[in-house]
Amino acid sequence: MIITLTGKPCSGKGTVGKLFCEKYNFEYLSTGQIFRELSAKHNYKSVLEFQQKHKNIKDVDKLVDSKTVEIGKTRLNDNIIFDSRLAWHFIPKSFKVFLDIDWFTAGERLVKAEREEENVETLEEAIEVLKARWNEENARYLSLYNVDNTDMSKYDLVIFSADKSPEEIVEIIYKEYKKFMKNLK
């Protein structure tokens, strides 16, 4: 069964997803990496810049989203963690997990991460970039699909990640995933 993992930027999705996969022998997929590769390929400095320049061009979203739908149809019974803002929407039978975080902690993480494509120097700049990216993405999803990522009722599990280690989050997800699977039978 596919576990779709979404959340705010810098909430730990990638770290948690990869750790979960290592521990429980799941495959890790990420649409974020696809976006970063497309941004770099087209010589944009950041994912935010790429999104802002292409908010009226739906081809990129449609390409990524169609791949997500295909995976949901052909691999639903495979053990996959899908790190994606919208996989939960395109794979409705997945176990849907949202990682929440406050902007201050997210900003601190971004400053420490020293990501080449999101190069920020100050905490204030990091928070501004993260909020702008989050708002830009959500506006695009509402426009394209009438999907609101901020509606927590859409998820099977919501975890506030700022006060937990990645290992703790992995265990919470696994425990709730097992309950979810048991209830499907």
Side-chain angles (χ1 to χ4, degrees):
M1 157 93 28
I2 296 174
I3 299 173
T4 51
L5 184 60
T6 190
K8 288 182 181 172
C10 293
S11 60
K13 296 175 306 299
T15 301
V16 167
K18 291 170 188 169
L19 186 61
F20 188 100
C21 290
E22 288 173 18
K23 185 163 186 178
Y24 294 109
N25 199 27
F26 274 56
E27 179 182 352
Y28 180 78
L29 299 176
S30 167
T31 55
Q33 186 58 39
I34 295 169
F35 272 112
R36 285 184 189 93
E37 289 169 7
L38 288 169
S39 298
K41 182 179 176 181
H42 292 93
N43 297 315
Y44 289 103
K45 295 180 216 168
S46 69
V47 172
L48 175 61
E49 181 184 7
F50 179 71
Q51 290 170 337
Q52 288 174 333
K53 298 283 183 182
H54 292 281
K55 63 180 151 190
N56 295 321
I57 300 173
K58 299 175 183 175
D59 293 343
V60 174
D61 281 310
K62 297 290 184 184
L63 177 66
V64 172
D65 299 338
S66 66
K67 288 182 181 182
T68 303
V69 169
E70 179 184 334
I71 290 166
K73 288 180 178 177
T74 61
R75 302 192 59 199
L76 187 60
N77 293 320
D78 292 353
N79 290 335
I80 296 172
I81 288 273
F82 205 134
D83 174 356
S84 164
R85 295 273 193 262
L86 288 181
W88 65 269
H89 173 71
F90 293 112
I91 309 174
K93 292 184 179 177
S94 64
F95 179 64
K96 301 164 207 60
V97 179
F98 185 95
L99 298 184
D100 199 2
I101 192 166
D102 61 278
W103 293 118
F104 182 84
T105 306
E108 287 181 326
R109 289 179 180 183
L110 182 58
V111 170
K112 288 179 188 172
E114 298 179 355
R115 292 181 184 167
E116 194 172 306
E117 72 276 4
E118 290 176 309
N119 190 14
V120 295
E121 294 182 17
T122 67
L123 178 59
E124 293 76 20
E125 182 184 6
I127 292 170
E128 184 178 314
V129 165
L130 292 171
K131 283 182 176 181
R133 189 169 119 200
W134 177 247
N135 291 333
E136 181 69 38
E137 289 173 352
N138 286 323
R140 198 170 75 246
Y141 304 149
L142 279 168
S143 171
L144 288 173
Y145 305 113
N146 197 30
V147 170
D148 182 2
N149 248 5
T150 66
D151 179 358
M152 296 299 126
S153 70
K154 306 287 187 199
Y155 308 107
D156 299 304
L157 178 61
V158 176
I159 302 171
F160 184 73
S161 66
D163 60 350
K164 295 171 187 64
S165 71
E167 293 80 9
E168 290 172 309
I169 296 168
V170 165
E171 291 312 308
I172 292 167
I173 293 171
Y174 186 72
K175 179 182 170 189
E176 295 302 318
Y177 169 72
K178 294 306 260 181
K179 287 182 193 175
F180 178 83
M181 293 301 292
K182 188 176 181 179
N183 290 332
L184 287 180
K185 296 178 183 180

